[in-house]
Amino acid sequence: MSSNATRRMTGGQALAEMLKLAEAGPIFGMGGFQLLPFYEACRALGLRHTLINDERCGAFAADAWARVTNRPGFVDGTLGPGATNLATGLAEAFNAGMPMVAIIGDANRLHAWKNMTQEARQFDVLRPLVKEAIRVEVISRIPEHLRRALAVATCGRPGPVLLAVPEDVAHGEHDFDAEDFWVDPGTLRAQARRFRPDAADLSRAASLLARAERPLILAGGGVHISEAQQALTALAEAQGIPVAHTMSGKGAIACTHALSAGVFGRYSRIANDLIALSDCLLVVGCKLGEIATKRFTLMPSGVPLIHLDVLPEEIGRTTRTEVALAGDARAGIEELAGMLADNGARAASRAAWCAEVPKRMATWREGARERLEATESPINVGRLMGELNKLLPADAVLVADGGFAAHWGALFYDTKQAGRGFVADRGFASIGYGVPGGIGAQLGVGAGRRVVSLTGDGGFNMSMGELETAKRLGANFVACIFNNAASGYVKALQHAVYGPGNYQSSDLHEMDYAAIARAMGCHGIRVTDPEKLADALREGLANMASPTVLDIVVTRDPARMLPAADNRTLKVQKGDRPV
């Protein structure tokens, strides 16, 4: 310490000091020489830096942590492959709107582009996958750049920010002024810098909703980012408006609520039928992309659509909009609720419309009973979903890997309270999210809440090394593996498109994942009998001493792998994906 006003620090120390002020959660990464001073400062300051076995999984873990906390996730990677390995995880966070700061080491500027070891155009590779990319060129600006990264990550539609730190900046020293070290607490959580839609647009939207006899709310993942679940539920109840949700929007209203119409889009229980019957649609925090709109065919023409989204340019991007509400989801919903307040008169007039929801849902559940209570062996995945619905506590978090896991979970799993109780990597829908997502979610919610992840054997193969990370960190979640000895979603698609027996590069070697888990110091249970599934889940949920892997041997029949269709009767139209 050179004086009371200044302090000589390395660039790595300055970065770590700023993260401490930002109350950063776990930082997932794998070090290298460029960022060594940052690692040393993390140790000295007591920051929770976590060695990950693969940087892509580190980004996935940070993404899941951000989803359950609404705070920025942190991940780092060293020069070259460490940085480029982050690409898939950054794309997930970018597409899903998850706040994240990714720190990468960069080449020493004195020698850059002279064939430095591991040097590549990593900044150019990652720049399209983040909201903003910042390279630190002046060591004194590190505090400023970190403040900027936090603001960009949490404002508007949140997303990842890249912070590249050259070797000579991280190792270099500077006399920092004490007044440089501050953070804006308003940027430490999404949704930051909330803004409300235009008053005139709100008035038009309220007028349409007031006149509607069969209005319907379509909720996306933006409801969770905005923490608008309670406001949305209150509006739905006060006005008598059923709520359907996307995969990411599950939990916008509790799935067990009488007004919950379940998932809509490519997969649907009853929601798509209600969309066809509705006379006014209120879309909240949803991009209306391919899956939500069944490749842009679902939204009915001639029905007024009100679109509330924090990113103005998303409105009208895929679907014609009657009223555009550019603003924060929670703020917009609260404004609409105030304008529509009528002491329950409209809810009473819409009683018959609202009564359609539980009636239709009961019919759907009766039809789904065959899968939810299936007794066949190998095990029907639907039976697992049925047991999870019965056994998971209301505050549990179910993490779903890309592909089958997200599809089955979105259609069959029921959240019992509003909130992000279902975490699926639908921004990029990458396979391999299940294990690192389980780690990030478990660290985010704390040991007092249970986290269960769903992943196929293919997804588990891509990330099973992170079981070591989970064991080391005490992230004692339960991983359920759909063991069908195949890349199941691909095999089911091949079956649907090309017919029985025409499979290419979609079969896997049969593995005993429970034995693998035990060899890695975790608890492993192999389940082949559907009648033993509930007890295995109870055993896993009760085990707080280590991660648990449930190796569940599920159907091998590609005609029966899809959650919402029997491939034997599925008709595939040319140019479209069947599910």
Side-chain angles (χ1 to χ4, degrees), residues 199-217 235 239-241 278-283 302-308 315 320-325 335-337 339-340 342 346 349-350 353:
D201 294 332
L202 283 165
S203 180
R204 291 174 57 213
S207 179
L208 284 173
L209 287 168
R211 294 197 303 268
E213 296 178 358
R214 300 177 305 282
L216 185 66
I217 295 173
L235 174 67
Q239 293 296 313
I241 308 178
S278 175
D279 60 359
C280 184
L281 297 169
L282 171 60
V283 180
V303 175
L305 187 146
I306 304 160
H307 195 167
L308 169 57
I315 300 174
R320 182 172 178 172
T321 302
E322 186 79 14
V323 180
L325 299 179
E335 289 285 341
L336 286 173
M339 291 179 170
L340 291 168
D342 64 350
R346 288 190 201 90
S349 69
R350 295 166 178 160
W353 168 239

Side-chain angles (χ1 to χ4, degrees), residues 2 135 260 297 308 355 382 466:
S2 57
R135 180 184 281 115
S260 174
T297 63
L308 169 57
E466 301 307 338

Side-chain angles (χ1 to χ4, degrees), residues 218-525:
L218 304 180
V223 172
H224 295 304
I225 297 170
S226 179
E227 297 181 324
Q229 303 95 338
Q230 291 185 358
L232 185 144
T233 301
L235 174 67
E237 292 174 342
Q239 293 296 313
I241 308 178
V243 179
H245 59 76
T246 62
M247 289 186 183
S248 298
K250 183 182 281 288
I253 186 173
C255 293
T256 52
H257 195 289
L259 289 175
S260 174
V263 69
F264 70 93
R266 184 72 70 181
Y267 291 100
S268 171
R269 296 181 179 182
I270 64 171
N272 289 0
D273 293 336
L274 294 181
I275 288 173
L277 293 171
S278 175
D279 60 359
C280 184
L281 297 169
L282 171 60
V283 180
V284 182
C286 173
K287 293 179 287 188
L288 291 177
E290 177 194 3
I291 301 299
T293 62
K294 294 189 70 175
R295 193 161 280 189
F296 318 109
T297 63
L298 180 61
M299 297 300 120
S301 61
V303 175
L305 187 146
I306 304 160
H307 195 167
L308 169 57
D309 200 277
V310 75
L311 203 61
E313 57 265 36
E314 283 294 346
I315 300 174
R317 181 178 180 182
T318 72
T319 307
R320 182 172 178 172
T321 302
E322 186 79 14
V323 180
L325 299 179
D328 171 63
R330 191 174 77 193
I333 291 170
E334 289 172 346
E335 289 285 341
L336 286 173
M339 291 179 170
L340 291 168
D342 64 350
N343 293 317
R346 288 190 201 90
S349 69
R350 295 166 178 160
W353 168 239
C354 292
E356 283 292 309
V357 177
K359 182 173 70 174
R360 289 171 180 259
M361 193 66 79
T363 301
W364 176 85
R365 289 186 187 282
E366 187 59 36
R369 186 187 302 276
E370 179 185 359
R371 284 166 286 179
L372 292 169
E373 300 178 4
T375 59
E376 67 202 57
S377 294
I379 298 169
N380 189 306
V381 178
R383 176 64 180 267
L384 171 61
M385 307 313 301
E387 299 297 349
L388 288 171
N389 283 335
K390 288 186 283 188
L391 294 176
L392 285 192
D395 65 351
V397 175
L398 184 67
V399 176
D401 208 329
F404 264 2
H407 301 167
W408 279 95
L411 184 60
F412 287 101
Y413 180 65
D414 290 327
T415 60
K416 301 176 180 68
Q417 62 187 28
R420 203 189 280 276
F422 181 70
V423 171
D425 63 326
R426 297 309 302 170
F428 208 40
S430 173
I431 304 298
Y433 187 90
V435 173
I439 293 172
Q442 189 67 76
L443 294 179
V445 302
R449 292 173 61 186
R450 300 307 283 140
V451 171
V452 174
S453 78
L454 308 176
T455 183
D457 40 11
F460 187 72
N461 288 344
M462 296 173 73
S463 57
M464 72 169 74
E466 301 307 338
L467 275 185
E468 183 275 332
T469 308
K471 174 65 176 177
R472 173 165 32 92
L473 297 181
N476 298 325
F477 69 103
V478 178
C480 296
I481 302 172
F482 302 168
N483 187 339
N484 55 18
S487 179
Y489 186 50
V490 173
K491 191 168 185 177
L493 291 176
Q494 289 174 343
H495 184 98
V497 176
Y498 301 111
N502 296 315
Y503 313 122
Q504 174 61 45
S505 302
S506 56
D507 289 311
L508 296 170
H509 178 67
E510 179 73 48
M511 302 283 280
D512 186 338
Y513 293 105
I516 292 172
R518 291 192 291 269
M520 298 180 73
C522 302
H523 187 40
I525 308 170

